[in-house]
């Protein structure tokens, strides 16, 4: 299989700088059609709408919906001839196994995998404090992410990567003067979410890993996605779609005993 046409989506919205950076990197070689949300849909996971409004856009289509809406509408109606889906570039990293199901960017790639279409989800780690998301980005900030994504689209399909993986989760550091190497990784399994009652009937949540990443102090070994990004590398994790079945998991005997347990 070769890639000729790409469906490009994201979860930051159709006007996001990261989407345009990937469009510019890919459109020199491929026919790229954007099918992206009208506004920010970060952290919506695999939310699917009943129906969506779709309007024409200079780069393709804009959808009043989620990233998953964009992929389903795109692959089954708007761009059915797409050979690959690229989601991103997200302004903010999607690192660690526990974050993947929340991410609209990653969820777009997962949805494409169910269509049996190769997909790449690309995100950029943005260091900083609580207001990191207010930062304004220029196209050159996404250079590492764009270069790695273009390379993987160019090479991974013909190399048979998607015969063994359903989608690729790419995380890159903000571009600097050096060329960031590419490291194959697995998502970190470290989990540190915290909850705290704040006294007015609410419970607040925090994730201390982001502060630790700012200091370069992550509890992850070489070969994990977070360690790669902290070390200035582009992380690429080959992943499968969720909910893979495990061999009976010891449930056969329980299933056999289910009726007799109900009668006792």
């Amino acid at each position: 299989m070769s890639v000729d046409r790409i469906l490009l989506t994201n979860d930051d919205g159709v006007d996001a700088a990261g989407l345009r950076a990937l469009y510019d990197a890919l459109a020199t070689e491929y026919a790229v059609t954007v099918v992206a949300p009208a506004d920010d849909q970060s952290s919506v996971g695999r939310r699917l709408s009943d129906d969506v409004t779709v309007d024409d856009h200079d780069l393709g289509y804009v959808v009043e919906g989620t990233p998953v809406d964009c992929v389903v509408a795109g692959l089954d109606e708007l761009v059915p001839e797409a050979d690959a889906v690229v989601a991103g570039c997200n302004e903010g990293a999607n690192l660690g196994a526990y974050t993947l199901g929340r991410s609209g960017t990653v969820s777009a790639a997962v949805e494409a995998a169910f269509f049996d279409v190769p997909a790449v989800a690309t995100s950029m780690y943005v260091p900083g404090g609580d207001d990191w998301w207010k930062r304004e980005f220029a196209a050159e900030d996404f250079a590492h992410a764009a270069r790695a994504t273009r390379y993987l689209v160019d090479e991974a399909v013909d190399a048979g990567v998607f015969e063994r993986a359903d989608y690729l989760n790419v995380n890159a550091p903000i571009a600097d003067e050096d060329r960031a190497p590419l490291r194959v990784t697995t998502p970190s399994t470290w989990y540190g979410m915290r909850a705290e009652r704040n006294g007015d009937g609410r419970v607040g949540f925090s994730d201390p890993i982001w502060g630790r990443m700012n200091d370069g102090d992550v509890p992850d070994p070489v070969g994990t996605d977070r360690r790669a990004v902290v070390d200035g590398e582009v992380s690429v994790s080959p992943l499968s779609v969720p909910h893979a079945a495990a061999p009976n998991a010891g449930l056969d005997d329980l299933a056999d005993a289910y009726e007799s347990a109900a009668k006792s």
Side-chain angles (χ1 to χ4, degrees):
M1 173 186 176
S2 61
V3 175
D4 295 312
R5 180 172 291 279
I6 293 171
L7 189 162
L8 176 62
T9 190
N10 71 348
D11 74 358
D12 288 329
V14 70
D15 295 322
L19 181 137
R20 186 64 196 227
L22 290 192
Y23 180 90
D24 290 344
L26 295 166
T28 58
E29 180 66 24
Y30 302 98
V32 180
T33 302
V34 168
V35 185
D39 52 19
D40 188 2
Q41 296 288 318
S42 297
S43 300
V44 300
R46 293 189 60 219
R47 184 185 303 167
L48 180 69
S49 305
D50 290 333
D51 57 31
V52 292
T53 299
V54 179
D55 292 310
D56 291 339
H57 185 273
D58 289 345
L59 304 181
Y61 303 94
V62 58
V63 175
E64 295 284 348
T66 69
V68 166
D69 293 336
C70 292
V71 172
V72 176
L75 292 181
D76 203 48
E77 177 65 27
L78 303 173
V79 201
E81 68 275 24
D83 305 303
V85 168
V86 174
C89 180
N90 193 60
E91 297 176 8
N94 283 297
L95 297 163
Y98 69 102
T99 70
L100 301 182
R102 301 174 189 160
S103 165
T105 303
V106 174
S107 293
V110 169
E111 200 70 25
F114 282 109
F115 278 87
D116 200 26
V117 174
V120 179
T122 302
S123 305
M124 183 176 71
Y125 169 56
V126 182
D130 293 338
D131 60 352
W132 64 267
W133 51 272
K134 296 180 181 179
R135 179 170 174 174
E136 296 290 331
F137 295 99
E140 53 266 25
D141 294 322
F142 297 92
H144 291 329
R147 182 184 301 117
T149 302
R150 169 64 187 269
Y151 175 78
L152 291 167
V153 171
D154 287 348
E155 304 294 339
V157 173
D158 288 341
V161 169
F162 293 102
E163 296 171 11
R164 289 163 283 181
D166 293 319
Y167 69 99
L168 304 179
N169 186 41
V170 176
N171 283 274
I174 291 179
D176 53 22
E177 295 180 358
D178 298 324
R179 185 184 180 97
L182 190 69
R183 183 179 289 276
V184 180
T185 62
T186 57
S188 169
T189 58
W190 187 87
Y191 181 77
M193 290 296 301
R194 298 289 182 267
E196 183 177 2
R197 192 187 298 270
N198 61 19
D200 62 354
R202 299 180 66 84
V203 174
F205 304 115
S206 62
D207 186 352
I209 194 60
W210 303 112
R212 296 182 67 168
M213 285 191 70
N214 288 338
D215 298 331
D217 175 31
V218 293
D220 306 298
V222 172
T224 55
D225 53 3
R226 267 197 302 252
R227 170 56 64 188
V229 171
V230 166
D231 289 347
E233 300 170 329
V234 177
S235 163
V236 53
S237 297
L239 300 174
S240 61
V241 292
H243 315 309
N248 81 63
L251 285 168
D252 285 348
D253 290 342
L254 294 182
D256 292 342
Y258 179 71
E259 287 301 323
S260 58
K263 296 173 181 177
S264 62

